Amino acid sequence: MEKLHIYDSLSSKLKPFVSIEKGKVGMYVCGPTVYNDVHLGNVRTFLSFDVIFRYLKYLGYKVRYVRNITDVGHLIDDIDEGEDKIAVKAKAENIEPMEVVQRYSIGFHDVMRAFNALPPSIEPTATGHLIEQIEIIKKLLISGWAYESNGSVYFDIFNYNKNNSYGELSGRDINDMLHGSRDLSGQSDKKSPLDFALWKKASSGHIMRWPSPWSNGFPGWHLECSAMSSKYLGDSFDIHGGGMDLKFPHHECEIAQNIGSSGKKGANNWIHTNMLTLNGKRMSKSTENTLLPRELLSGDSEHLTRPYTANTARFFIHQAHYRSILDFSDDALQSADKGYKRLISSRNLLEKRTKNGAKKGSFDVVKWHKSCESAMNNDFNSPQLIANLFEAAKVIQNDSKDSGILGQDGAILLAEKMDLWMHDILGLTNENVGDSNNYKTALKAAMEIVFETRKNAREKKDWTKSDSIREKLLDAGITIKDGADGSDFSIS
RNA sequence: GGUCUCGUGGCCGAGUGGCUAGGCAGAGCUCUGCAAAAGCUUGUACAGCGGUUCGAAUCCGCUCGAGACCUCCA
């Protein structure tokens, strides 16, 4: 595709992307509720948006990427007596709710850093935007979209539904929902079970509470995103994203709040990322069917036979499209790991091609690069991009025997473009040769000396010596590969 | 029960009304002191049954199966 197209889950259509303000993109993504460790399913979503963020920047957009942290208001369930997730954790561990928030916010950031995700432009918290949330409630009350009941404020779905369609994002009919919902008569302040809380009056034992015109209480979960997205991106912005599971009710409620307070729906494009499953079932904190990033990195899990790097996991995740369900398994990780390593070693082979042989080659790097762009323009199709990278790997491998394919110019350009796609867009780092450049250079120099010694031994047919060097290095995690044009190494 | 999505070769996973996805694994060959790596070649695929069409894995219908949401979750 020539131009970027994005699948909009509100209209269920692939739409050409046109930003509201030329050259700028406003993107809001629902972040984590920091009451627990993030698991790999959460990570998948944020990595999907990380690639989207990176690609939009690559296209030249100035992107304002807002990803919130939910630190209040997310209740265990939707009945009136539901408790705040963070408060429950605080009570269980006998600490302040804000200690819970602090601990898991730091944990979340550590994980994001480990997976090489770029930080968002703004990372606002719900508790930091109570005034904005209260202002929205005031507006909704004045215009009649909300009502107060015993110190709590609820959004009036029936009133809203007269001129709007609550449920259009998730494809639901209000009557069906009513039919299937629990009967709350007599035990709720709500007029209808479909109504959702904008402000909740705190019960006597509730720790997290703030003053408001209606009661000492706390905001409803859905409100923060409306408040923060409109504050930082305006009433209409380009992209709103989140996991599929947030479609209903969270994003549905957000749309209702947005229309109620500003007349606008919020985002022009809704992007929903699909679930990461484990054993065919969705990863979920509540059912404990999860795999934590630290378990992946240490290999300490019943689901794994060995540890995997963050890079391998990233590669695995981006090998599937963000809108597809992806099933996590040790086998799948293992094959991703092998493929990824092969890609890296092919890329590293290019260094040799940039200095020797013909100047020009027959392979059209520019055309190849266009096809990578085309893949990403088609709703951020990272699996197709990766397939392209493997095409390039094949070309590089062939070229090491026939230097007329790439040529020096082609090799230099291809190296640049491969780095662009692998590092800048997919966020993969070249862990194979160490993290710092100093380390990389030093190791390479040391290996040259080892190769020299070994070459001498091999020329004298001293196989005992050359093999023992190779075996000892293998024990240390360094694999030697002897080729026609010299030796090379990789780190496992 | 309601709403929706999906069902691709041994496994993972793109795509699409007629043109090789790709990765991993398997087989054969080449290279090679051995090894590793790499290259080349190679295979049974689009759940089943009908329909639309010159042509469908791709569109429509039905059946079977799986999953998600409908209560908190990215």
Side-chain angles (χ1 to χ4, degrees):
Chain A
M1 285 190 175
E2 287 272 324
K3 295 190 71 184
L4 176 63
H5 286 62
I6 298 179
Y7 182 85
D8 170 37
S9 36
L10 182 58
S11 59
S12 303
K13 280 192 183 109
L14 188 68
K15 301 197 304 195
F17 179 72
V18 182
S19 66
I20 293 170
E21 206 176 325
K22 196 165 184 284
K24 290 187 180 175
V25 171
M27 175 162 85
Y28 188 92
V29 172
C30 291
T33 302
V34 282
Y35 71 104
N36 219 333
D37 289 315
V38 285
H39 56 66
L40 277 177
N42 305 109
V43 170
R44 181 192 184 191
T45 292
F46 299 126
L47 291 185
S48 297
F49 285 107
D50 187 51
V51 166
I52 290 171
F53 179 41
R54 286 163 180 269
Y55 190 63
L56 287 168
K57 290 208 295 185
Y58 163 74
L59 290 179
Y61 290 107
K62 197 175 167 215
V63 187
R64 181 178 287 173
Y65 173 21
V66 182
R67 186 183 64 205
N68 69 296
I69 287 201
T70 298
D71 56 357
V72 70
H74 205 158
L75 303 183
I76 297 282
D77 59 40
D78 196 32
I79 341 174
D80 279 3
E81 298 315 308
E83 288 186 273
D84 189 287
K85 290 189 165 189
I86 288 158
V88 167
K89 187 82 176 180
K91 223 177 266 178
E93 304 198 7
N94 201 23
I95 53 176
E96 274 289 322
M98 276 301 143
E99 287 185 83
V100 174
V101 167
Q102 177 74 353
R103 179 193 298 171
Y104 293 110
S105 294
I106 290 172
F108 173 60
H109 289 144
D110 286 347
V111 168
M112 287 295 101
R113 209 172 301 116
F115 282 85
N116 196 32
L118 298 175
S121 325
I122 302 176
E123 193 165 45
T125 59
T127 53
H129 296 76
L130 284 157
I131 292 168
E132 288 83 350
Q133 297 183 62
I134 287 170
E135 288 307 308
I136 290 183
I137 299 174
K138 283 182 186 168
K139 276 192 201 171
L140 292 172
L141 279 167
I142 289 167
S143 50
W145 302 96
Y147 58 91
E148 189 193 339
S149 175
N150 287 326
S152 292
V153 183
Y154 296 95
F155 193 92
D156 191 328
I157 294 293
F158 272 107
N159 205 8
Y160 173 79
N161 213 241
K162 285 174 190 163
N163 294 310
N164 299 282
S165 50
Y166 182 73
E168 67 170 323
L169 179 66
S170 51
R172 268 161 240 267
D173 185 84
I174 182 167
N175 293 318
D176 291 342
M177 285 191 271
L178 210 52
H179 195 70
S181 68
R182 282 175 288 192
D183 180 19
L184 296 177
S185 56
Q187 51 159 318
S188 174
D189 296 331
K190 293 182 192 178
K191 285 201 236 169
S192 155
L194 298 183
D195 295 348
F196 59 90
L198 297 165
W199 187 265
K200 297 280 290 182
K201 181 183 177 178
S203 58
S204 55
H206 204 99
I207 325 167
M208 303 173 84
R209 53 169 74 211
W210 292 265
S212 80
W214 313 284
S215 64
N216 275 336
F218 55 94
W221 172 38
H222 315 302
L223 194 55
E224 53 170 297
C225 290
S226 289
M228 296 186 283
S229 63
S230 61
K231 170 157 185 167
Y232 297 112
L233 301 172
D235 293 334
S236 286
F237 52 97
D238 298 298
I239 296 170
H240 189 130
M244 204 77 119
D245 50 350
L246 296 184
K247 245 181 167 178
F248 186 90
H250 185 57
H251 290 155
E252 206 77 72
C253 296
E254 246 187 276
I255 292 175
Q257 289 165 350
N258 291 345
I259 289 183
S261 63
S262 76
K264 309 259 173 55
K265 276 181 186 171
N268 281 351
N269 294 277
W270 287 82
I271 298 181
H272 287 100
T273 59
N274 219 134
M275 299 293 104
L276 182 68
T277 58
L278 182 61
N279 302 319
K281 291 263 162 60
R282 88 170 267 205
M283 264 192 214
S284 160
K285 291 174 192 171
S286 54
T287 57
E288 292 179 4
N289 186 234
T290 60
L291 193 74
L292 298 178
R294 66 163 175 274
E295 293 171 331
L296 176 89
L297 300 174
S298 69
D300 185 19
S301 162
E302 52 170 333
H303 304 292
L304 300 173
T305 57
R306 65 177 185 84
Y308 294 93
T309 63
N311 269 318
T312 296
R314 253 199 104 118
F315 184 76
F316 166 71
I317 285 167
H318 297 317
Q319 251 188 324
H321 187 83
Y322 76 85
R323 281 196 285 122
S324 300
I325 292 171
L326 176 62
D327 192 50
F328 185 97
S329 69
D330 192 70
D331 276 356
L333 257 280
Q334 225 161 83
S335 79
D337 186 58
K338 279 185 187 166
Y340 174 61
K341 294 252 165 71
R342 217 190 101 207
L343 206 51
I344 291 286
S345 71
S346 298
R347 160 62 188 88
N348 289 341
L349 264 181
L350 272 179
E351 302 298 340
K352 290 182 179 170
R353 303 286 132 214
T354 56
K355 294 180 188 79
N356 307 307
K359 199 87 177 118
K360 293 202 183 306
S362 55
F363 181 70
D364 192 342
V365 179
V366 174
K367 190 180 167 193
W368 171 84
H369 178 248
K370 290 268 177 220
S371 72
C372 293
E373 276 188 341
S374 173
M376 286 301 283
N377 282 339
N378 185 10
D379 197 27
F380 310 103
N381 197 321
S382 57
Q384 214 161 53
L385 168 63
I386 289 174
N388 275 335
L389 292 174
F390 279 108
E391 299 287 339
K394 204 168 193 174
V395 169
I396 295 166
Q397 295 297 348
N398 283 325
D399 187 59
S400 55
K401 282 174 191 154
D402 171 13
S403 55
I405 297 176
L406 275 169
Q408 286 188 48
D409 290 350
I412 291 166
L413 188 61
L414 185 58
E416 183 193 308
K417 296 303 183 194
M418 281 192 85
D419 287 349
L420 167 77
W421 292 114
M422 290 167 71
H423 303 159
D424 299 351
I425 306 296
L426 291 174
L428 301 164
T429 58
N430 194 341
E431 68 199 5
N432 229 13
V433 278
D435 288 323
S436 82
N437 269 331
N438 287 345
Y439 177 80
K440 181 175 166 179
T441 316
L443 181 64
K444 263 190 170 171
M447 286 306 291
E448 283 310 316
I449 297 165
V450 173
F451 286 150
E452 191 62 33
T453 312
R454 211 167 146 265
K455 196 178 151 199
N456 289 338
R458 292 178 73 208
E459 276 164 3
K460 289 176 198 156
K461 295 202 189 287
D462 184 355
W463 308 126
T464 324
K465 188 172 183 181
S466 75
D467 286 358
S468 113
I469 291 175
R470 189 171 63 203
E471 276 154 29
K472 278 177 187 164
L473 284 173
L474 189 64
D475 286 344
I478 299 172
T479 310
I480 288 190
K481 303 163 207 169
D482 295 327
D485 49 355
S487 298
D488 204 350
F489 71 98
S490 65
I491 299 171
S492 57

